């Protein structure tokens, strides 16, 4: 092996659901990562796969050419995200108001032991 390579390679697929106002607005993202570099991604807002490396471009073109695969991913906001929204409520963070552009500074108070 080349000294620059540890011999350990990691392949990862990550599915994300982004909720706004409960399930009113849902975005599904599927990421394909190899050795900490995302090479392909599906975004339900775009409706197709996008490549970020030469290999990822090839994969994105191929997967985007398959009507069944695209239909499956495009409907994932319903069968994957919305169907799991009620099942895992502790992992869901709702954003009902757009984030404020103002920074909030807080002052830490000293911690005193209880008597």
């Amino acid at each position: 092996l080349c000294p620059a390579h540890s011999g350990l390679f990691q392949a990862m697929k990550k599915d994300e659901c982004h909720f706004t106002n409960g399930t009113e607005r849902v975005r599904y993202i599927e990421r394909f990562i190899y050795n900490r570099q995302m090479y392909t991604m599906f975004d339900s807002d775009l409706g197709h796969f996008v490549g970020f490396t030469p290999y990822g471009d090839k994969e994105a073109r191929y997967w985007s050419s398959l009507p069944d695969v695209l239909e499956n991913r495009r409907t994932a906001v319903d069968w994957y995200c919305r169907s799991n929204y009620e099942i895992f409520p502790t992992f869901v963070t709702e954003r009902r108001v757009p984030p404020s552009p103002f920074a909030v500074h807080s002052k830490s108070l000293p911690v005193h032991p209880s008597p």
Side-chain angles (χ1 to χ4, degrees):
L1 289 173
C2 172
H5 295 96
S6 67
L8 178 66
F9 298 98
Q10 180 185 35
M12 183 170 79
K13 177 182 164 292
K14 184 177 180 185
D15 297 285
E16 302 172 13
C17 296
H18 299 261
F19 299 92
T20 305
N21 292 336
T23 58
E24 182 181 317
R25 170 88 175 89
V26 181
R27 180 179 181 197
Y28 170 73
I29 298 174
E30 180 180 32
R31 301 176 193 272
F32 295 88
I33 301 162
Y34 183 73
N35 279 354
R36 292 185 245 164
Q37 181 179 14
M38 183 169 57
Y39 62 91
T40 305
M41 174 182 101
F42 176 84
D43 185 335
S44 64
D45 283 354
L46 298 175
H48 60 86
F49 289 89
V50 177
F52 297 95
T53 65
Y55 175 74
D57 284 338
K58 182 180 175 182
E59 290 286 294
R61 281 193 306 275
Y62 174 70
W63 291 335
S64 292
S65 74
L66 303 173
D68 291 346
V69 171
L70 277 184
E71 181 66 20
N72 177 275
R73 296 315 190 283
R74 287 174 179 161
T75 59
V77 295
D78 293 318
W79 63 262
Y80 183 75
C81 296
R82 285 190 175 105
S83 67
N84 286 311
Y85 182 80
E86 295 294 327
I87 296 171
F88 302 110
T90 57
F91 297 109
V92 176
T93 303
E94 291 185 22
R95 180 181 294 166
R96 295 192 178 275
V97 179
S100 171
F102 302 103
V104 177
H105 300 283
S106 65
K107 192 175 194 180
S108 294
L109 299 175
V111 178
H112 299 287
S114 300

